[in-house]
Amino acid sequence: MLYGLFCRLGRPAADYPTLSGAVQAAGVASWPINDGTWFVESELSADAIRDSLALCIEPEDVALVFPLNVGPARWTSLREFRYGRQFLQSALQRESAARA
């Protein structure tokens, strides 16, 4: 399952020493979009990912975990984001194979 992880943090994500590790541990692959935003491919449930992130952030911060359906998604060429392009193409292929 592909998830979008969106965190509204009181400080830059780099100031949360265990957050990046929690994101990486949640999935088989992840792509950081910007500070506090990731795409993660994971076998875990949204609840499990949320609970893991909640342990790494402050109580006043917010972590949102949304399942994503890549099939109808569209994006620009992502020329400068080779890994991101490969990440999304792989997610789309796996999603298509799962539906077949």
Side-chain angles (χ1 to χ4, degrees):
M1 168 68 67
L2 184 66
Y3 293 98
L5 310 183
F6 308 97
C7 293
R8 182 171 178 258
L9 305 170
R11 301 184 312 272
D15 290 350
Y16 295 80
T18 58
L19 183 57
S20 178
V23 170
Q24 291 176 4
V28 294
S30 64
W31 179 34
I33 305 301
N34 60 31
D35 198 46
T37 305
W38 298 266
F39 285 150
V40 173
E41 194 163 358
S42 180
E43 305 271 328
L44 300 175
S45 69
D47 288 342
I49 295 171
R50 181 214 44 217
D51 293 348
S52 176
L53 297 178
L55 296 173
C56 303
I57 61 177
E58 299 296 325
E60 62 274 3
D61 295 332
V62 177
L64 306 168
V65 181
F66 291 98
L68 302 175
N69 180 355
V70 180
R74 297 294 176 259
W75 47 84
T76 62
S77 67
L78 298 172
R79 278 188 298 263
E80 283 111 46
F81 300 99
R82 182 174 163 231
Y83 178 78
R85 184 180 67 244
Q86 292 170 337
F87 177 87
L88 291 171
Q89 288 170 335
S90 294
L92 179 59
Q93 289 171 349
R94 280 189 284 279
E95 186 175 295
S96 296
R99 282 185 294 202

